[in-house]
Amino acid sequence: MAVITINANQKFIDQVSTLAKEEGVSKSELLRMALECYKLQQQKRRLQVRFSHEASAIAKMKKNAAKVEAIGNTGDEAHTSH
């Protein structure tokens, strides 16, 4: 198991080294950018979930407001017909 992990880690390090050379940046700079990108992706996911929940709540409020308005209109009609 340790050998597989070491091989996977070495492969990752080799890929980072190659990409850093291709991009003309240091390995640490490349890893810093990758970490920043990961953090932004996580933040984006959290905001998408939050937006989805808020959109759902707004839709429910609109639906409830329409029901209340319909009940209110029915009540107003009953009062005006007397």
Side-chain angles (χ1 to χ4, degrees):
M1 186 70 161
V3 173
I4 294 170
T5 303
I6 291 169
N7 288 339
N9 287 343
Q10 187 58 51
K11 185 175 181 178
F12 174 76
I13 291 167
D14 292 344
Q15 289 173 337
V16 168
S17 296
T18 301
L19 185 58
K21 285 178 189 173
E22 289 173 1
E23 295 298 321
V25 296
S26 68
K27 289 185 279 187
S28 61
E29 180 67 11
L30 183 67
L31 291 172
R32 188 195 63 74
M33 290 186 294
L35 180 59
E36 185 65 26
C37 183
Y38 173 78
K39 288 178 181 179
L40 290 171
Q41 288 173 340
Q42 293 297 96
Q43 184 179 19
K44 178 183 172 186
R45 284 189 195 109
R46 283 192 301 273
L47 289 171
Q48 286 173 329
V49 168
R50 189 170 121 201
F51 177 77
S52 175
H53 289 162
E54 288 177 359
S56 178
I58 289 169
K60 285 179 185 176
M61 285 188 279
K62 285 181 178 179
K63 186 177 178 181
N64 288 339
K67 285 181 185 178
V68 168
E69 187 175 337
I71 292 169
N73 289 340
T74 304
D76 290 344
E77 290 170 6
H79 291 310
T80 55
S81 64
H82 284 176

